[in-house]
Every structure is written in C-alpha cells, then in structure tokens.
Amino acid sequence: MTPPYEADLVVAARTEEATGVVSLTLRHPEADPLPSWEPGAHVDLVLTDGLVRPYSLCGDPADRTAWTVAVLHEPRGRGGSAYVHEKLTAGAVVRVRGPRNHFPLHEAPGYRFVAGGIGITPILPMVAAAEAAGAEWSLLYGGRTRGSMAFLGQLSAYGAKVRVAPEDETGLLDLDGYLGPPDTDGDDTLVYCCGPGPLLDAVEARGAAHTERFRPTQDGPDGADATDHAFEVELRRSGRTLTVPPGRSILHTVREAGVEVLYSCAEGTCGTCETDIVEGAADHRDSVLSAQERAAGETLMICVSRCLGPRLVLDM
C-alpha cells in the first residue's frame, strides 16, 4: 500500500468546543498545503513512541492550509486524549499521519445523520457537504448534556434540519421517531451514524446504515484469546515467516520480530494497519471493513484479525 503523508504540524489554534472537548487547528510550519481529504476521513496523531491515536477531521475539506480535529478528554481512556488535553497547547508540534477514509460519504439525494457525543466530528463535514450538494438531509444529535455537546453554535446555522437532544433534557434518542421502523427509508436515503457502541448497534438494527466506531465490537485489545489456534504468517516483501501464537495478534508478532508497520488504535477501528492479503483466508475481527470487503478477502486489519487456516501470506 502507498505510504501515507506524514509530517510535523503545528497547533496553530486550540479552542474549547464544549465541556471536556477541545479542537486543534493544525498547520504546516512552512505553510505547505496539506493533502486533500473528504468527509469521513481521519488522521493519526503520533503523540509519543507507541502512543498513536486516530481522530476524525472535522474542518473544511476545501481548506488545504489546515486540518482540524476535536478530542474528548476521557480520564479512563488509554492516554491519548489526556496527552492531547495536557500537552498540545497552541504552538506545540505533533507528528500527523494520513488522511485515511473508511467512512466515506456516498452521493445520494437524501441523508439521515445520527451523532452521539464526540461522534459529531466526522458528521460535521458530512452535513456541510450534503447542504452544499442541495440534498435533503437532517441530523439527530445527542449527548449527555447540552454543555458537553460540541459545535452547537456552528450547527445552529442549519436551523430545523438539526435536532439537538441532550439526554438530561429529552432522554435517550428517539430513533424510531427519527428513522422510523426498520427499513422504512428508501434506497435513495442513506443513514450515517457515529457515536458510542450502543447507539450504533441500535441504528444498525433498524436496517442498512453507514457507521463508524470509536470502540471495537469485540472484547480484547489484542483481538485474540487463548483458545485461538496458532498460524504462520509469511511476510512476502520481508522474506520472513513468523508464527502467530494464541493470544497474540499479527501486529504484535511482527513488531516483536523487528518489522516496522504502521498502526494506530490497535483495536480494529481505524484502518491504519490495513494490509494486503496475498494468500490465505482471514478471520476478520475489525469494525472497519464492510461485509462485501470481508468477502473479497483482499485486506485485513493485522491488529485484531487472524487466519482461518494454518497460513497467511501478507504483502509486508
């Protein structure tokens, strides 16, 4: 696969968007233009050695001078959000890699958007694109409290197309009232949702939807448990063959062998470690690939996915 763009960018601005949410405006120190991107894309922030986190781009895709991300402070997280909130002040420099897009906005005459909490970040440029295209669209946006919900001021410009539903005011999101019973929207209306797992599960249960997860659908950061079988993985370009034992991922196995590989979330949600399959059948355990992409068997996420048989050959 083509190596992604990677550069040290400067935090040109930092803004408090809501309680516990800050946005960072990132620019090239020499004012070089940044790669183009489309709604749904994310970038990786390389915060420290071994601490890499993906964040959705939520600015204007037409602005090649800056990238904007927004980060929720999660005190019980794995350290990424704490680093951003504590270290990345205005003027700080951070290594940034990307962009990648496993959550693209497909052209359609109509859209139903659903966002929960910080899940508004990839949805924000989507609603702007839908508005610019003249499509019929609406957004249902939920959060714990109004004060915890980012970008409300920006979204207010869309008027009644945006329904703001803080849980402490309105209760849980009324998905039945908004989306209707399962499969009632026609094929010409696309549903996009990003937010916490229970929200995504509820939206997906109502029929076809495009979703993006910030948390894995399967337990275990390594995507494997002690009952999984061992298998061989041949690294075609490296000329090496390694054994992936039960309880260890392909990612950890190749890194322990000294093979450099790009990765970020290590949970099967971001797509950074997507790798081409040369031979073999993958046991897909990610939250990125569609059913059609899994059936095609062309790539896998090495941070969580494994092998259905005794051997995989990967383009590494």
Side-chain angles (χ1 to χ4, degrees), residues 33-39 58-67 125 128-129:
L34 299 175
S36 61
W37 60 280
E38 296 182 350
C58 57
D60 180 3
D63 183 2
R64 297 286 300 279
T65 70
W67 283 341

Side-chain angles (χ1 to χ4, degrees), residues 5-301:
Y5 172 85
E6 188 167 345
D8 291 326
L9 302 185
V10 176
V11 179
R14 172 177 162 134
T15 305
E16 299 285 337
E17 301 290 354
T19 301
V21 179
V22 297
S23 67
L24 306 178
T25 301
L26 306 171
R27 299 184 187 273
H28 194 279
E30 304 298 327
D32 291 350
L34 299 175
S36 61
W37 60 280
E38 296 182 350
H42 73 266
V43 293
D44 295 333
L45 300 191
V46 185
L47 303 174
T48 63
D49 184 26
L51 185 61
V52 184
R53 294 291 182 268
Y55 296 107
S56 297
L57 290 169
C58 57
D60 180 3
D63 183 2
R64 297 286 300 279
T65 70
W67 283 341
T68 301
V69 298
V71 181
L72 169 68
H73 189 201
E74 300 181 86
R76 288 188 288 273
R78 296 183 296 140
S81 68
Y83 186 99
V84 170
H85 278 252
E86 295 168 9
K87 304 291 186 181
L88 295 188
T89 55
V93 175
V94 61
R95 192 77 171 171
V96 185
R97 197 166 59 208
R100 291 184 180 82
N101 198 343
H102 287 280
F103 190 43
L105 181 68
H106 299 287
E107 185 176 347
Y111 300 94
R112 296 290 179 267
F113 297 107
V114 183
I118 198 62
I120 190 62
T121 50
I123 300 296
L124 204 61
M126 289 186 178
V127 300
E131 179 75 4
E136 293 290 330
W137 68 272
S138 61
L139 165 64
L140 178 61
Y141 179 19
R144 295 186 308 279
T145 66
R146 193 173 295 269
S148 70
M149 299 171 68
F151 303 111
L152 290 181
Q154 184 173 336
L155 289 167
S156 67
Y158 298 117
K161 291 183 179 181
V162 177
R163 308 182 195 180
V164 177
E167 186 176 351
D168 65 339
E169 297 177 20
T170 64
L172 296 176
L173 292 181
D174 180 14
L175 296 178
D176 285 334
Y178 179 61
L179 297 176
D183 299 317
T184 55
D185 272 331
D187 292 339
D188 57 347
T189 298
L190 300 183
V191 177
Y192 280 80
C193 178
C194 186
L199 174 62
L200 299 180
D201 293 340
V203 170
E204 289 174 346
R206 284 165 171 78
H210 299 269
T211 59
E212 181 173 55
R213 294 179 181 269
F214 293 145
R215 293 290 181 271
T217 55
Q218 300 198 29
D219 294 333
D222 208 18
D225 60 47
T227 64
D228 284 313
H229 70 272
F231 59 93
E232 286 189 344
V233 58
E234 177 187 332
L235 312 181
R236 179 58 57 87
R237 285 188 285 114
S238 301
R240 302 182 64 180
T241 298
L242 306 172
T243 298
V244 180
R248 298 296 281 171
S249 67
I250 300 173
L251 172 64
H252 285 152
T253 300
V254 299
R255 292 190 72 237
E256 287 173 350
V259 179
E260 291 297 323
V261 61
L262 295 179
Y263 72 99
S264 179
C265 72
E267 294 183 326
T269 60
C270 74
T272 301
C273 69
E274 185 174 9
T275 302
D276 288 338
I277 299 171
V278 179
E279 297 175 16
D283 177 6
H284 294 289
R285 304 185 181 191
D286 64 276
S287 304
V288 177
L289 297 178
S290 66
Q292 293 81 2
E293 289 169 328
R294 291 184 175 199
E298 296 176 351
T299 67
L300 84 166
M301 307 303 158

